[in-house]
Amino acid sequence: HFLLHTLLEELNVRNVIDILAAQMRFQFSVYDMIAQLIFSRVICPCSKAKTVSAVFPHLYNSSPISEDQVYDGLSFIGGSYKKYIELFNHCYEQYYQRDFGNVFFDCTNYYFEIEEESGDKKYGKNKEHRPNPIVTMGLFMDADGIPLAFDIFPGNQNEQLTLKPLETKVIKDFDCSEFIFCSDAGLGSVKNRFLNSFGNRSYVITYSLKKMKQEEREIALNPTQFRLPGSNKMIDLRTLDETDPEVFHTIYYKEVPLVTGSMNETIIVTYSPKYKAYQQKIRGRQVERAMKMIQGPGKCRRGKNQNDPARFIHKTSVTPDGEIAD
């Protein structure tokens, strides 16, 4: 609480918020509301209603702010949040140096407990699999995890389309044309990779072996030509003694060139004996559960996802003579 309070005072956030909120003549301090929400989110994260009723009263030197006032204040901030972001970034850069060595971006979505679509609240692929309208939020952070920019997009929009407008804004506002874009496969479309292949920008994105061409996949999975970081000595994974603790905790890698359209890319394939043992343990437990499902009463259901034990179970029809039926 005191560390965060000192940081907010140091960044002069109070003056910025007071100036913007003065025109509304709120009967409470918008700054106190924001500060208390920040403290509560770090100390005891929960819903807004519970935060107001159960957390606010226990904060040191807290101000009496009701739930209605919180929603009024948040609605006001939400109406001009881009302006707030620009001002906060300005305050931050007065005291701290931004690290653009790596820039991180990802998307998530939020559902609303409503039945009909409204504005940007559209029906889309909900990360929590709820049948409610959602909105998508894209967020950029610098190498220290400090937010640079974010925006809200319609819930039915492909999240891959959220990257370009925000990244263009970050490059323009922060004059950071040299960085490494790190992302999961969900944002690793060809267009997004192409966007970050110009100038001094680069990217590191997870890549699915299943989506590779057969020939390239065979090269990637070949146990030869692996190396240790910082060494040029080639290693055959089949020769490793994985009972050796040093080998067990080491990560090996190999580089595989890949041509995607007009781009020349490099896939980095890694191998970890420790992670292999972990996955074998999980798979062994899933096989045991699948065996119990076969031996148990009732019909075996179809596997719903890649981690469902039922995916190991397959049904084969046979004739009374034991021949496999078509």
Side-chain angles (χ1 to χ4, degrees):
H1 173 92
F2 291 112
L3 288 172
L4 293 170
H5 175 77
T6 302
L7 179 61
L8 291 177
E9 291 294 330
E10 182 180 274
L11 295 179
N12 200 28
V13 174
R14 180 187 295 274
N15 288 343
V16 172
I17 294 177
D18 286 346
I19 292 174
L20 291 175
Q23 55 182 316
M24 299 300 295
R25 297 184 179 180
F26 287 111
Q27 299 301 311
F28 62 96
S29 170
V30 177
Y31 169 80
D32 288 342
M33 181 210 70
I34 292 177
Q36 290 179 195
L37 285 175
I38 293 173
F39 302 152
S40 301
R41 174 59 58 178
V42 174
I43 296 171
C44 183
C46 53
S47 68
K48 295 293 186 297
K50 188 174 180 180
T51 296
V52 174
S53 64
V55 184
F56 275 10
H58 298 286
L59 293 176
Y60 176 78
N61 199 26
S62 63
S63 299
I65 298 176
S66 68
E67 183 178 346
D68 288 340
Q69 289 174 331
V70 166
Y71 286 119
D72 287 343
L74 290 178
S75 296
F76 167 70
I77 294 172
S80 54
Y81 68 91
K82 293 182 180 180
K83 184 184 299 182
Y84 274 92
I85 292 174
E86 293 177 1
L87 290 170
F88 289 158
N89 281 327
H90 175 74
C91 293
Y92 180 84
E93 291 166 4
Q94 298 298 309
Y95 297 91
Y96 301 100
Q97 182 69 34
R98 288 279 193 183
D99 184 356
F100 296 110
N102 295 284
V103 177
F104 300 92
F105 176 81
D106 204 355
C107 285
T108 190
N109 54 48
Y110 303 92
Y111 72 90
F112 294 80
E113 294 181 341
I114 56 178
E115 297 294 332
E116 298 182 359
E117 295 180 333
S118 174
D120 287 340
K121 298 183 281 292
K122 303 289 186 181
Y123 284 106
K125 190 174 181 180
N126 191 330
K127 293 182 182 293
E128 298 186 22
H129 308 291
R130 289 176 174 268
N132 302 96
I134 60 174
V135 295
T136 298
M137 187 188 82
L139 172 68
F140 257 105
M141 297 189 303
D142 64 16
D144 294 318
I146 305 299
L148 294 171
F150 80 91
D151 209 345
I152 304 296
F153 302 91
N156 60 354
Q157 178 175 311
N158 189 323
E159 66 177 18
Q160 294 186 358
L161 302 177
T162 62
L163 173 66
K164 186 174 181 179
L166 268 179
E167 182 173 337
T168 303
K169 177 176 175 58
V170 168
I171 293 173
K172 178 182 177 181
D173 292 351
F174 298 95
D175 191 25
C176 56
S177 58
E178 181 177 353
F179 57 77
I180 302 172
F181 170 65
C182 304
S183 169
D184 57 19
L187 292 165
S189 66
V190 174
K191 290 184 178 180
N192 286 345
R193 301 202 304 272
F194 184 73
L195 173 66
N196 286 287
S197 62
F198 289 98
N200 296 319
R201 299 199 301 279
S202 303
Y203 58 86
V204 178
I205 295 174
T206 55
Y207 196 81
S208 173
L209 287 172
K210 295 180 180 179
K211 295 182 179 180
M212 295 177 66
K213 296 179 181 178
Q214 180 66 25
E215 180 181 353
E216 294 167 341
R217 184 164 60 248
E218 291 177 355
I219 296 174
L221 295 177
N222 191 311
T224 62
Q225 296 185 323
F226 278 81
R227 292 184 293 174
L228 288 171
S231 173
N232 292 323
K233 180 181 177 181
M234 297 298 177
I235 298 174
D236 187 332
L237 298 180
R238 294 170 294 188
T239 65
L240 296 176
D241 179 10
E242 297 185 4
T243 61
D244 184 335
E246 183 176 351
V247 173
F248 185 75
H249 290 89
T250 300
I251 296 178
Y252 304 85
Y253 80 99
K254 70 188 301 184
E255 296 180 359
V256 179
L258 181 70
V259 178
T260 306
S262 60
M263 294 188 297
N264 294 322
E265 301 178 303
T266 300
I267 294 180
I268 300 175
V269 184
T270 61
Y271 173 74
S272 166
K274 181 178 180 180
Y275 189 66
K276 169 190 171 183
Y278 169 72
Q279 289 294 340
Q280 285 179 332
K281 185 176 181 180
I282 292 178
R283 188 162 55 249
R285 291 176 177 175
Q286 292 176 340
V287 171
E288 290 179 3
R289 291 171 58 190
M291 294 296 294
K292 291 181 180 179
M293 293 170 64
I294 294 176
Q295 298 168 1
K299 296 182 179 180
C300 293
R301 56 182 174 80
R302 180 177 297 179
K304 295 181 179 180
N305 56 56
Q306 60 183 2
N307 295 317
D308 193 327
R311 76 185 189 280
F312 294 116
I313 303 173
H314 299 278
K315 180 180 179 181
T316 302
S317 300
V318 297
T319 66
D321 298 328
E323 297 180 356
I324 298 178
D326 293 335

